[in-house]
Amino acid sequence: MLTNVEHIGIAVRDIATSNDLFTKLLNVTPYKAETVESEGVTTSFFRVNQTKIELLEATNPESPIAKFLEKKGEGIHHLAFEVDDILVEMERLKNEGFTLLSETPKHGADNKLVCFLHPKGTNGVLIELCQEIKE
Ligand SMILES: CC[C@H](C(=O)O)C(=O)SCCNC(=O)CCNC(=O)[C@H](O)C(C)(C)COP(=O)(O)OP(=O)(O)OC[C@H]1O[C@@H](n2cnc3c(N)ncnc32)[C@H](O)[C@@H]1OP(=O)(O)O
Ligand SMILES: [Co+2]
């Protein structure tokens, strides 16, 4: 089951500059910075009550973020939903006809298992599913 919006992903060219901007905007400092090389991203997380913002900078030209920036420039990149069981949700969504961008969940940032749905099947919005990795 999808439980809530876990974070909003924003593609940025320079994460240090955007950290300063979002610190001023949100009046909070980032609580975490994390590079996920497998995804080609460096992330920075802000929290405002229950809402999280994930800033994303590309670590290499092949990164999905680099391609997104080339095509669309800086802006909202994806919407992430928290799920209680990512395998169950992936199976349900596959059966509903959505295109999963990976067969199995991947290790994401902020201690999550993640999977993405192709935006072509979700009205042009890249959707991410996130499940907290319980220790
Ligand atoms: C570390 C994980 C972290 C976390 O939260 O834990 C993250 O969130 S990592 C975020 C970065 N990783 C990903 O985005 C992985 C999933 N994304 C992909 O597999 C690709 O980016 C994909 C398939 C969405 C697009 O691939 P690519 O850019 O190579 O293909 P195209 O350029 O041909 O795009 C196809 C079509 O989709 C449109 N598009 C691309 N990106 C987005 C987007 N973010 N939102 C909406 N639409 C998007 C693109 O414009 C093309 O449409 P068209 O009409 O043909 O121009
Ligand atoms: Co994300």
Side-chain angles (χ1 to χ4, degrees), residues 49-94:
N49 288 329
Q50 300 305 313
T51 302
K52 283 186 196 172
I53 298 289
E54 176 189 54
L55 300 182
L56 299 134
E57 180 188 78
T59 57
N60 66 71
E62 294 314 305
S63 164
I65 298 301
K67 292 185 173 181
F68 180 87
L69 288 169
E70 256 170 59
K71 268 198 163 175
K72 298 176 181 271
E74 292 184 315
I76 292 180
H77 178 261
H78 63 274
L79 192 51
F81 287 95
E82 181 148 28
V83 294
D84 48 10
D85 185 324
I86 196 164
L87 294 174
V88 167
E89 276 314 301
M90 287 173 71
E91 190 60 27
R92 181 183 74 79
L93 290 163
K94 195 158 58 176

Side-chain angles (χ1 to χ4, degrees), residues 18-33 44-49 51-53 55:
S18 294
N19 270 341
D20 292 346
L21 178 72
F22 274 79
T23 297
K24 282 187 204 133
L25 173 69
L26 303 175
N27 204 18
V28 293
T29 53
Y31 71 87
K32 179 178 279 190
S44 175
F45 284 89
F46 292 80
R47 183 190 282 117
V48 177
N49 288 329
T51 302
K52 283 186 196 172
I53 298 289
L55 300 182

Side-chain angles (χ1 to χ4, degrees), residues 37-48:
E37 212 39 74
S38 57
E39 280 298 320
V41 295
T42 291
T43 64
S44 175
F45 284 89
F46 292 80
R47 183 190 282 117
V48 177

Side-chain angles (χ1 to χ4, degrees), residues 7 9 36 39 41 43 45 54 56 63-65 67-68 71-72 76-78 80 101 106-110 112 114 116-120 124-126 128 130:
H7 62 264
V36 182
E39 280 298 320
V41 295
T43 64
F45 284 89
E54 176 189 54
L56 299 134
S63 164
I65 298 301
K67 292 185 173 181
F68 180 87
K71 268 198 163 175
K72 298 176 181 271
I76 292 180
H77 178 261
H78 63 274
L101 291 169
K106 304 185 285 184
H107 273 265
D110 208 19
K112 298 278 187 312
V114 302
F116 290 86
L117 306 182
H118 201 291
K120 283 288 178 211
V125 179
L126 179 60
E128 176 183 357
C130 300

